[in-house]
Amino acid sequence: RFHGEGYEEGYAEGSHVGVVEGRRYGSLHGAKMGSEIGCYLGFALTWQCLLQKCMDEKNSKKIRALDSLIGMIQKFPYEDPTYDKLQEDLEKIRGKFKQVCSMLNIQSDFRIGTERSSLTF
């Protein structure tokens, strides 16, 4: 009897602590992902505006790459944490961002840490 009661109490306490820890973990990592994607979108929109001022063939390719990046970000499922290809799509966005930076001849370094988060060019 005591064994069964102890098990039930332990299971209930463990479940509660697990939910709290999972919520905290999800909030932290969701905020990091949102910050990263937000920086990519701001970067892409800014460069899109800058490049549209002088349209030539070189800038046309850059603008198409920027449009592709913006489209990928807009299609990203922010509201669905159970989306099975979340990490895969995030890696594609990161890859496209690196491609755009290469086309623009910009060194990028996106870091998120406890002491600071930055996007440097």
Side-chain angles (χ1 to χ4, degrees), residues 47-94:
W47 273 101
Q48 185 182 46
C49 289
L50 291 171
L51 292 175
Q52 285 179 346
K53 291 180 181 177
C54 53
M55 287 293 290
D56 60 6
E57 191 174 328
K58 274 182 156 180
N59 286 343
S60 172
K61 289 180 182 180
K62 294 173 186 176
I63 289 174
R64 279 197 306 271
L66 286 164
D67 288 341
S68 175
L69 176 61
I70 291 167
M72 291 169 74
I73 291 170
Q74 289 173 341
K75 291 177 188 171
F76 192 77
Y78 302 103
E79 301 294 323
D80 185 9
T82 61
Y83 177 62
D84 59 340
K85 294 185 178 182
L86 189 82
Q87 290 297 323
E88 185 179 318
D89 286 354
L90 183 58
E91 287 301 319
K92 287 179 182 177
I93 290 171
R94 288 175 178 150

Side-chain angles (χ1 to χ4, degrees), residues 36-47:
E36 179 181 0
I37 291 175
C39 284
Y40 295 159
L41 182 59
F43 170 88
L45 291 172
T46 301
W47 273 101

